[in-house]
Each structure stands twice: as C-alpha cells, then as structure tokens.
Amino acid sequence: MPSSPHHPAPAPKNLSGAEAEDLALYREKFRCRLPESLDELHGPTQGVVELPLHMAWSGMTSYDLGKPRQRMGLYRTVLHEGLREDLPRYLDRDLLIHLWPVLRTLVGRTVRTVWEDAFPQLASRAQAAA
C-alpha cells in the first residue's frame, strides 16, 4: 500500500529503534502540515511575497516571484518551515506542480518523500521530467 497522510511510509530497515522512531517523528512533523488536497493551494503566482519570521527566520524574508531563483527559494522555505495554515496562503497548486521536478532536488529527502507519498501527481511529474 502506498503511504499517504494516513498511511506513513516505512522507515529504512538499517536504522536502530531510536533512529527509526526519530525519523518517524520527523516525517510526522511534515505530514501533519500537509493540505488535504493540492487544490487548497491558492497562493500568489506573481509579485513580491513577504514571509513572516516564523518561516524566514534565517535568511531572506522578501521574494520576487518573477525571479526564478527567488521563486524556488520561497517554495523551498515554505515547504520546510511553513505551518499547515501557511501552505494555502503561500503556495499555488499549479506553480508547485510546475516547479516540482527541480524543487524536489532542493528540499530534504523527508520533505520530498512526504509530499510525493501524499500527492502522486507530484511523484508522476518528477518521473515524467526524468
């Protein structure tokens, strides 16, 4: 059975009990932030976006969506640091799907796995681009 927000992916087999538990907790941190559907994501697709400090605590806070590197940086930051209520506000469904083949290489393995397990259209987009 593929993993989903309700059926998590199994931990790698070569981890000790404590390591596997830590990994499961880390995955759950991201899993519980996921929207029910990508259709909930209605964030901006143009202009300048200002992120609050709880997300942009260690770097840029202002991102120009007209600049590809800044757009990618915004999405990477929101995926890693955003709370559940931040995702619909700052991410756009179509833009996320469009950016995913590259974006998935810029986010951590856990973030990538959680999102691709929950939303098969992201995983299939990544495979189609490969």
Side-chain angles (χ1 to χ4, degrees):
M1 166 185 291
S3 67
S4 70
H6 305 291
H7 298 95
K13 293 181 180 14
N14 59 347
L15 296 179
S16 72
E19 290 171 326
E21 185 176 330
D22 287 348
L23 179 59
L25 288 172
Y26 190 60
R27 283 181 178 163
E28 185 57 28
K29 168 184 149 179
F30 292 105
R31 192 173 294 111
C32 72
R33 298 176 184 181
L34 292 173
E36 289 296 318
S37 165
L38 292 181
D39 292 333
E40 294 177 27
L41 305 178
H42 297 288
T45 59
Q46 58 187 6
V48 175
V49 176
E50 299 284 337
L51 290 182
L53 288 177
H54 73 270
M55 280 192 285
W57 52 268
S58 70
M60 290 178 58
T61 59
S62 179
Y63 296 84
D64 183 344
L65 294 177
K67 297 181 178 179
R69 289 181 73 134
Q70 288 189 29
R71 185 172 52 234
M72 201 67 75
L74 170 79
Y75 271 64
R76 182 179 184 276
T77 299
V78 173
L79 289 171
H80 276 274
E81 305 296 338
L83 303 175
R84 184 179 183 99
E85 60 270 15
D86 295 321
L87 302 179
R89 172 184 271 174
Y90 295 103
L91 300 178
D92 176 78
R93 176 197 179 276
D94 293 338
L95 190 51
L96 176 65
I97 291 170
H98 174 75
L99 296 175
W100 192 254
V102 174
L103 184 60
R104 71 183 303 275
T105 68
L106 302 175
V107 298
R109 180 180 309 163
T110 300
V111 171
R112 179 176 57 247
T113 301
V114 165
W115 278 82
E116 288 183 352
D117 285 352
F119 304 111
Q121 61 268 52
L122 293 177
S124 65
R125 175 84 170 106
Q127 291 170 354

